[in-house]
Amino acid sequence: MEMNLTIRHTANAGVLINIGRNSLGVDLFSRDPEGLYPDTPAQLKAELLDEIERGHIEALLFTHGHGDHFCPEDAAEALKRNPNLAVISTDEVIGLLRAAAPLGKRLYAVSSKEKGNVRIQFPEGSLELFNSRHMGEAYAGVQNLVFMLNVNGKQIVIPGDAWPDPELFARIGAWSPKPEVFIAPFPLIGLPSNRKMIKKYLKPVHILALHLPRPEMDEQNWAASAKSVCERTEDGLPMPDFGEILGKEYHYYSHFL
């Protein structure tokens, strides 16, 4: 069965995923108050809102409520354009949207107290998600959702800003040890210690590394360091695509079994 997969980088850690007739956004709209990470460009945002208004994007998923992953104003505008748009996220994000866009009809909050996997079925596949700790001691109490998308037997994993520990990768591996695409913030694949954990539990076919700082803000050369680690480490993990151009589309395969 022929079916195209396209992942379009929209902002910081944001992507628009198109698989056959299914189209959904993850952290699609962001606006970083600190200015460290890139926001959704104005022209691209206008295009995405137009697609939402036309009903061409079926759902928005937000991993958590930080500005570099979620812009409440843009998400509320999306719901005003299309009140039937499904939005799935944390208690905080959905609470904000219920207040800002009360006409939204399909807002789904995953409780921060949920310990298991939440499964959502749709005609051509399913979505599973679970709560994880946010990386960084200062944000350890922040609810972060890990999204695992399965369409026609192919899996895409998006961990948001999940804390990289064995439990995280073991849970993903229990769902699928060989995801087709692992879309992760660059520190998850740019540090040798993290790569060892990934390698133990996962064998991703492709990796898309996002969440890179603006070049002018990268005084510590984080992006260059992550690339260097990925290039020189011989651990069998694929060389990632580094999302450095907003709006760029990535095509990973065209056939599903």
Side-chain angles (χ1 to χ4, degrees), residues 16 50 66-67 115 156 167 179 182-183 229:
L16 177 65
D50 182 63
H66 285 168
K115 302 298 182 183
I156 299 173
E167 180 182 358
F182 185 49
I183 305 175
V229 168

Side-chain angles (χ1 to χ4, degrees), residues 18-80:
N18 294 285
I19 308 177
R21 292 175 295 176
N22 297 101
S23 182
L24 57 86
V26 183
D27 294 346
L28 196 66
F29 301 114
S30 70
R31 188 181 304 161
D32 181 17
E34 305 299 326
L36 177 59
Y37 300 106
D39 304 334
T40 310
Q43 180 58 42
L44 179 53
K45 178 172 67 176
E47 293 174 13
L48 294 169
L49 288 171
D50 182 63
E51 289 294 297
I52 288 170
E53 187 170 2
R54 292 170 180 267
H56 295 167
I57 298 175
E58 300 165 331
L60 297 183
L61 317 177
F62 293 100
T63 59
H64 61 291
H66 285 168
D68 57 345
H69 289 257
F70 168 65
C71 175
E73 294 82 6
D74 294 345
E77 177 62 24
L79 283 166
K80 291 174 183 176

Side-chain angles (χ1 to χ4, degrees), residues 3 7 23 56 67 93 95 103 141 166 169 173 192 210 214 216 232 236:
M3 185 177 296
I7 298 175
S23 182
H56 295 167
V93 167
L103 295 180
F169 300 116
L210 303 181
R214 299 176 189 268
E216 67 274 16
R232 71 173 186 265

